[in-house]
Amino acid sequence: MNEGMKTTTKKMVKEDEIFASCTFASLGLHATLCDELRDKMGFEVPTLVQAQAIPAILSGRHVLVNAATGTGKTVAYLVPIIHHLQKSDRRIQRADGTFSLVLVPTRELCMQVYETLQKLLHRYHWIVPGYITGGESRSKEKARLRKGISILVATPGRLLDHLKNTSSFLYSNLHWIVFDEADRIFELGCGKEVEEILDHLGSRKNIVNKDNGTSSFEFPQQNLLFSATLNEKVNCFAKISLENPIMIGLDAGNNALEFQPSEHGRFLGHDINDEAQPTRKEKNLIADYKIPTQLVQSYVQAPCASRLAVLFSVLKYLFERDCFEKTLVLFSTCDAVDFHYSLFGGFKFSSSESEPRSEHLFLKCKIFRLHGSMKPEDRRTTFQAFKSEKLALLLSTDIAARGLDFPNVRCIIQYDPPGEAIEYVHRVGRTARLGERGDSLLFLQPTEIDYLQDLRNHGVSLTEYPLVKVLDSFPVRGRKHFVEKFVSLESHSWIMFLQRAVESFIAAEPGMMKLAQKAFCSWVRAYTAHRGELKRIFVVKKLHLGHVAKSFALKQQPSVVGKSFKKQEKKRKRYPKQDVSSSKKRTL
Ligand SMILES: Nc1ncnc2c1ncn2[C@@H]1O[C@H](COP(=O)(O)OP(=O)(O)OP(=O)(O)O)[C@@H](O)[C@H]1O
């Protein structure tokens, strides 16, 4: 382990691989905005992607940006929009309604973009930022929309709701539509919503433009697509919605992607949910993923029955020996997050069984949890608290996997593997941001090891984490143990000792037992939801339910689990597609 995370985190990136050798002013931005970037945000020079994207957006062309996680894409699209709005001949007013729409896939990302906007607009009180997102009070949102929001950040579902039901929402001046995390927006079943949104915006725009051409910009409406990963749906959407776009961050070969001539602003009549077969060129576009070069990526091979004890040990090691600042652990379901949150927060332990009074909390760091079934208020509090903590652990579903910018997260642990390799990229992208150091650790069971090949196919390779050294560093019953010959993880004395202690803790706490059983059921359900090619790697039939039970510190597999699992399997066979998408949504 010492050789693992600790030494590898020294892998650093050179400044000129992240930052450009020019100034914000030289990109054509207004002097006041440059001051704002320096004084309010602390940004002295643009990042490489900002140096490319800002002039491109200022030029009025459609833009598609593909850049690694944590390279400053948010500012890259917000700043040119603010530049145009602040220099408009006639000061824009709230009564003018919405000029720019930023679509994002999650509530947390919505808040994050909104906060950045607030800072950037500090000196431009007449440009009003706002957000609308699921889980908030509709009537308060309606009131805000009625007053007028110049730059609106929104999640697709709630935006569509207001487009249909809030007559006072004025968007006849809409000039920019930004798709942040574009590929994610088109996944999660949002593709249809996006199409409907564009339908509303497109048709209304035509009608209003006929009556009053209030647009004060010299170029037509701009569409901007941003993501660290692209997929076929984005390609398909880009082809029909971007006219003669500037493409940034696509390799020379990929730039050859042929864009069909399209009527400007034409979004409709093309179903972006169609499983269109990508052409060879489009396949090239999604072949290799951009991962921060300084990120150190490892995997650990842990048999199912020992997974929990391994996770516990790695976390203890990270916080106590390596003094990692912040760590994010990703799970496949909300129930799994709840279970581990309660367990990690309550599990006390003594390394000597004969002295139970010397028990102390096993993990001594602050622990947070984040998932889609929490109340919006709790989600917001966690999000803010984890941001400002110096040393903490966040347990989350994939809700934290995209776009979120938590400072000083040093390690990402994927306890449950992601689905598509694309998700792997975004998950690990929560660390090693903007040239900072970072580590990631992917848990795999021995039966899942082919997943590494799937990642390699996308140019992502991982090294094995030196687990045994970590385990050997923990004393059992007050004594250091030295394993002469390593047989198997399950028979490692520390793992056996810890597993027994956790199982006894769960057995003695009825509340914990319930959480464990619930988490178990949904974990198995989520496992069945792996799609396409990945079904070959994450084979449900290979799961040993007794061992899975152990990974939730249950001494045996509860009968209810077996029934639920069989029912789920039956349902899956009957409605394969429907089941997959609904499971995928539920996990957030
Ligand atoms: N020019 C700059 N100088 C210094 N810091 C910057 C600059 N631009 C952006 N940042 C900071 O870099 C971090 C990453 O930015 P941002 O969240 O926009 O990245 P991203 O590319 O959108 O990442 P992801 O793909 O994960 O969404 C943020 O903390 C942001 O404040």
Side-chain angles (χ1 to χ4, degrees):
M1 173 76 175
N2 278 329
E3 290 82 35
M5 297 251 164
K6 205 164 184 176
T7 52
T8 48
T9 48
K10 285 184 187 139
K11 196 172 162 187
M12 298 301 280
V13 72
K14 286 195 204 123
E15 281 260 304
D16 61 2
E17 287 173 34
I18 298 290
F19 293 101
S21 55
C22 61
T23 60
F24 280 109
S26 69
L27 303 177
L29 293 172
H30 194 274
T32 315
L33 193 48
C34 298
D35 292 348
E36 197 68 0
L37 282 163
R38 192 192 53 238
D39 302 341
K40 202 75 189 153
M41 311 289 286
F43 299 172
E44 296 291 339
V45 290
T47 62
L48 288 174
V49 69
Q50 288 164 359
Q52 287 182 285
I54 291 172
I57 300 172
L58 285 176
S59 76
R61 298 249 312 260
H62 289 207
V63 178
L64 169 66
V65 177
N66 176 221
T69 49
T71 49
K73 293 189 284 296
T74 317
V75 162
Y77 64 73
L78 289 180
V79 161
I81 295 172
I82 296 172
H83 170 90
H84 279 303
L85 287 176
Q86 61 83 38
K87 83 172 180 46
S88 149
D89 293 342
R90 184 181 65 85
R91 261 200 185 186
I92 65 165
Q93 295 170 4
R94 293 194 81 158
D96 293 331
T98 298
F99 287 87
S100 174
L101 184 61
V102 180
L103 280 172
V104 294
T106 65
R107 221 175 281 179
E108 281 70 20
L109 193 50
C110 197
M111 292 308 300
Q112 186 174 289
V113 175
Y114 171 69
E115 280 169 18
T116 307
L117 253 180
Q118 277 184 312
K119 286 189 201 154
L120 288 170
L121 291 172
H122 186 62
R123 296 193 197 180
Y124 305 111
H125 59 88
W126 62 95
I127 306 174
V128 181
Y131 65 89
I132 51 175
T133 177
E136 300 285 327
S137 144
R138 271 188 186 75
S139 52
K140 281 189 188 156
E141 286 181 348
K142 271 179 194 259
R144 291 207 299 265
L145 286 170
R146 193 177 314 118
K147 282 189 190 161
I149 295 176
S150 326
I151 305 180
L152 178 65
V153 192
T155 50
R158 184 54 71 92
L159 174 68
L160 187 58
D161 185 339
H162 284 292
L163 284 171
K164 286 178 178 166
N165 304 313
T166 305
S167 54
S168 56
F169 176 18
L170 180 67
Y171 46 87
S172 53
N173 285 315
L174 190 70
H175 209 83
W176 295 270
I177 306 180
V178 184
F179 297 86
D180 193 352
E181 307 289 344
D183 56 322
R184 187 60 169 177
I185 290 179
F186 300 130
E187 286 211 4
L188 279 178
C190 292
K192 279 256 184 274
E193 278 172 357
V194 172
E195 220 190 347
E196 236 184 305
I197 287 169
L198 296 174
D199 188 1
H200 272 268
L201 297 176
S203 48
R204 293 278 190 102
K205 186 171 145 266
N206 292 343
I207 295 162
V208 176
N209 279 351
K210 259 183 230 159
D211 298 341
N212 82 46
T214 53
S215 175
S216 45
F217 306 100
E218 62 271 21
F219 47 84
Q221 185 180 301
Q222 251 179 304
N223 298 323
L224 312 170
L225 264 65
F226 280 74
S227 187
T229 48
L230 300 173
N231 61 15
E232 298 95 274
K233 281 180 186 163
V234 177
N235 295 346
C236 172
F237 178 75
K239 278 209 244 172
I240 58 165
S241 64
L242 305 182
E243 192 173 88
N244 188 22
I246 297 178
M247 297 195 282
I248 293 169
L250 305 178
D251 300 334
N254 296 334
N255 265 333
L257 180 79
E258 283 155 20
F259 274 75
Q260 309 295 330
S262 72
E263 219 178 284
H264 176 69
R266 185 192 141 215
F267 305 108
L268 311 173
H270 194 109
D271 188 355
I272 54 180
N273 280 312
D274 278 350
E275 292 294 338
Q277 285 302 308
T279 64
R280 201 172 57 78
K281 278 176 184 162
E282 285 168 341
K283 274 183 182 155
N284 283 343
L285 188 69
I286 57 165
D288 271 14
Y289 294 133
K290 293 174 192 294
I291 303 249
T293 50
Q294 75 282 15
L295 174 71
V296 178
Q297 305 171 77
S298 322
Y299 71 92
V300 66
Q301 212 182 129
C304 197
S306 314
R307 269 162 49 81
L308 181 60
V310 170
L311 175 64
F312 241 142
S313 311
V314 169
L315 288 174
K316 191 171 177 65
Y317 196 92
L318 285 182
F319 281 101
E320 289 178 17
R321 316 276 168 93
D322 263 358
C323 299
F324 263 51
E325 287 140 79
K326 282 196 257 185
T327 293
L328 167 64
V329 185
L330 290 154
F331 297 89
S332 59
T333 70
C334 306
D335 291 334
V337 170
D338 285 341
F339 164 71
H340 290 92
Y341 174 74
S342 301
L343 175 63
F344 292 172
F347 177 57
K348 288 196 174 136
F349 174 83
S350 166
S351 60
S352 159
E353 281 168 344
S354 56
E355 281 182 62
R357 259 188 277 132
S358 67
E359 277 188 349
H360 50 261
L361 272 178
F362 188 77
L363 289 180
K364 291 184 190 125
C365 55
K366 271 205 173 166
I367 305 175
F368 297 92
R369 72 185 166 132
L370 190 65
H371 64 66
S373 301
M374 287 165 61
K375 287 188 197 138
E377 189 47 43
D378 295 341
R379 276 169 69 168
R380 221 180 353 253
T381 319
T382 301
F383 175 62
Q384 295 301 352
F386 186 66
K387 255 185 154 176
S388 53
E389 280 297 335
K390 289 228 161 1
L391 192 141
L393 171 64
L394 175 64
L395 313 179
S396 175
T397 56
D398 267 342
I399 213 157
R402 283 267 184 166
L404 296 192
D405 183 52
F406 295 115
N408 302 325
V409 170
R410 290 284 176 255
C411 184
I412 306 298
I413 298 182
Q414 306 192 47
Y415 184 56
D416 292 326
E420 318 273 323
I422 234 173
E423 291 313 322
Y424 174 92
V425 177
H426 287 277
R427 283 171 160 208
V428 298
R430 297 317 99 211
T431 187
R433 295 174 75 71
L434 213 68
E436 291 279 311
R437 64 182 209 264
D439 290 270
S440 68
L441 180 61
L442 172 68
F443 271 65
L444 289 173
Q445 297 181 37
T447 52
E448 301 166 344
I449 214 71
D450 282 355
Y451 190 64
L452 294 178
Q453 185 54 47
D454 194 62
L455 291 176
R456 269 197 293 274
N457 293 343
H458 292 277
V460 180
S461 40
L462 283 64
T463 50
E464 187 159 10
Y465 178 81
L467 180 64
V468 178
K469 278 191 184 159
V470 173
L471 302 181
D472 286 352
S473 73
F474 292 109
V476 176
R477 294 181 193 90
R479 272 184 288 121
K480 274 241 172 196
H481 53 102
F482 298 96
V483 185
E484 280 169 16
K485 195 168 167 227
F486 183 71
V487 185
S488 73
L489 211 56
E490 293 101 317
S491 54
H492 190 283
S493 53
W494 164 255
I495 290 288
M496 291 200 304
F497 182 62
L498 183 58
Q499 181 72 29
R500 261 203 309 275
V502 185
E503 282 178 13
S504 307
F505 172 74
I506 298 286
E509 302 265 341
M512 281 302 312
M513 181 77 101
K514 268 202 180 126
L515 281 177
Q517 290 176 347
K518 208 167 156 214
F520 187 118
C521 289
S522 41
W523 187 90
V524 175
R525 267 201 303 274
Y527 205 88
T528 65
H530 280 288
R531 297 186 254 191
E533 263 294 282
L534 294 177
K535 273 200 157 74
R536 190 181 50 78
I537 298 168
F538 302 101
V539 185
V540 182
K541 278 189 186 149
K542 284 193 191 161
L543 282 181
H544 182 306
L545 290 182
H547 290 176
V548 182
K550 289 242 166 224
S551 74
F552 289 89
L554 295 165
K555 288 183 183 165
Q556 60 211 17
Q557 170 203 337
S559 53
V560 59
V561 174
K563 276 182 207 155
S564 157
F565 176 60
K566 278 181 195 141
K567 229 162 117 186
Q568 181 71 19
E569 268 290 85
K570 257 191 201 164
K571 202 171 148 197
R572 199 172 62 87
K573 277 181 193 149
R574 234 180 299 154
Y575 314 106
K577 209 164 177 187
Q578 189 185 332
D579 182 44
V580 165
S581 57
S582 63
S583 309
K584 193 75 190 162
K585 272 188 179 171
R586 220 180 11 245
T587 59
L588 292 177

